[in-house]
Amino acid sequence: MRKILLAGISTAFALSGAMAIADDKKQLVFVVNAASDFWKLAEAGVKKAQADLPDYELLFRYPAQGTAALQNALMDDLVAAGADAIMISSVDPKTSIDAFNRIAAQIPLFTTDSDAPDSERIAYIGSSNVAAGEQAGEIAKTALPDGGKCMGFVGFLGADNAVERIQGFRDSVAGSGIELVDVRGDDVDFARARSNVDDVLVANPEINCMVGFYSYNPPKIYEALQAAGKLGQITVIAFDEDPITLGAIRDGHFSGTVVQQPYEWGLQGMHLMAKYLSGDASGIPDDELIIVPTKIIDADNVDAFEADLKAKINS
């Protein structure tokens, strides 16, 4: 019985023990939406911020799976264990309002990457996903001057970042002869992301353009096209900076990618929360939106971009 009791106590305090901080340092936590290499840059930014903010403890956390329920449960656990502020990329803002407001009633809550503007979050720091979608449309118009039929691929169809990128793309290509026929969601299931592309290659031979709206979608497009012997035959527009994506741009298989700056989300976001906790809200704009610009990477600038990327991650 004593062993069982001790085991229970050990389990109950495991998370709080892991979060315990010497000298009562305030804890700032960055919570992502799902496991993906995309978040390595944000984590590097958080690590840089840790060096700048020695009086704080900065944590970077992944949910067990990319679901709103598990993400919200993780936030509850973090608050219970002593977190002082959280920045989160919401899996599904529309179904998480109550959970977000529950957290925001206890500690300052900020969003990044995927906003939850209807919640009580303090501010959003990240990309304008509409503008990013418009930039993807510009890549498409350059690559397909005579028009084309595109199929989109994304993780969470209902997430604000997905909805806004898709809308931005549609707005940008309107009247150009380019049509975004449909968008296939995969809920950040990598096997499903690949099979979605395979299915389109078989069922939709009219598709001559593919758009990968989440970071892992373009690599899955690359895998499927390579397996089908169709690399270079279908125009591909990407998002983010997966190494496969950058290599495909360098080799001429992808037309380009729209990259965000997650490193800055991590770096600036931690500084923003630290200032806010100290009583300085001067970094919060009136519209509560802190936009970090996106940019287009193509064959002309991919080498310089990748060198800068490696320098940030390795630092």
Side-chain angles (χ1 to χ4, degrees):
M1 177 65 72
R2 182 173 181 273
K3 289 183 178 180
I4 294 173
L5 178 60
L6 288 175
I9 293 172
S10 176
T11 301
F13 284 91
L15 180 57
S16 60
M19 296 273 290
I21 305 301
D23 301 324
D24 295 323
K25 291 181 179 179
K26 290 188 180 298
Q27 302 163 352
L28 312 179
V29 190
F30 194 112
V31 177
V32 306
N33 53 12
S36 170
D37 285 348
F38 169 77
W39 291 112
K40 287 181 179 178
L41 271 173
E43 189 168 8
V46 170
K47 288 180 179 177
K48 173 61 172 67
Q50 179 66 85
D52 299 339
L53 300 166
D55 294 333
Y56 293 83
E57 179 74 10
L58 310 188
L59 305 174
F60 198 89
R61 292 290 182 264
Y62 293 84
Q65 291 180 319
T67 68
L70 288 176
Q71 192 182 47
N72 296 335
L74 174 59
M75 285 200 296
D76 286 331
D77 290 344
L78 289 167
V79 172
D84 293 286
I86 291 175
M87 178 166 288
I88 186 169
S89 171
S90 178
V91 169
D92 189 348
K94 293 179 178 59
T95 64
S96 300
I97 299 301
D98 290 343
F100 276 36
N101 288 345
R102 182 176 67 250
I103 298 299
Q106 301 173 77
I107 63 172
L109 179 67
F110 295 75
T111 54
T112 187
D113 181 46
S114 179
D115 195 11
D118 295 329
S119 72
E120 296 299 322
R121 61 97 171 105
I122 304 297
Y124 165 82
I125 180 168
S127 304
S128 165
N129 286 295
V130 172
E134 291 171 348
Q135 287 177 311
E138 293 301 318
I139 297 173
K141 287 187 288 187
T142 299
L144 296 165
D146 298 322
K149 291 185 178 295
C150 299
M151 183 67 72
F153 303 92
V154 75
F156 301 115
L157 283 166
D160 280 8
N161 58 356
V163 171
E164 292 171 3
R165 290 176 197 180
I166 293 164
Q167 187 58 54
F169 183 88
R170 291 189 192 278
D171 291 345
S172 179
V173 301
S176 69
I178 297 172
E179 177 188 1
L180 184 61
V181 176
D182 196 7
V183 182
R184 306 291 169 85
D186 55 58
D187 295 325
V188 195
D189 180 329
F190 291 174
R192 185 175 161 198
R194 165 64 190 271
S195 66
N196 280 348
V197 184
D198 291 331
D199 292 347
V200 168
L201 289 174
V202 173
N204 302 89
E206 76 280 6
I207 295 298
N208 64 346
C209 160
M210 293 183 172
V211 187
F213 285 101
Y214 273 15
S215 63
Y216 61 86
N217 290 123
K220 295 305 176 184
I221 293 172
Y222 183 93
E223 289 177 10
L225 293 179
Q226 185 179 49
K230 293 187 177 182
L231 274 177
Q233 298 177 31
I234 292 178
T235 296
V236 180
I237 295 96
F239 274 77
D240 301 317
E241 61 286 317
D242 187 277
I244 292 175
T245 296
L246 298 181
I249 293 171
R250 183 179 297 105
D251 294 339
H253 298 311
F254 285 9
S255 297
T257 187
V258 178
V259 298
Q260 306 177 86
Q261 298 192 64
Y263 180 89
E264 295 299 329
W265 307 347
L267 177 60
Q268 294 183 34
M270 295 298 105
H271 280 277
L272 180 70
M273 289 200 293
K275 286 180 64 176
Y276 189 86
L277 285 177
S278 72
D280 182 356
S282 62
I284 311 299
D286 291 340
D287 64 1
E288 302 174 347
L289 300 175
I290 302 165
I291 302 302
V292 182
T294 52
K295 58 184 177 181
I296 293 173
I297 302 300
D298 56 23
D300 292 334
N301 61 0
V302 65
D303 289 335
F305 172 76
E306 191 164 28
D308 179 65
L309 193 70
K310 290 179 179 177
K312 286 177 176 174
I313 292 176
N314 292 335
S315 66

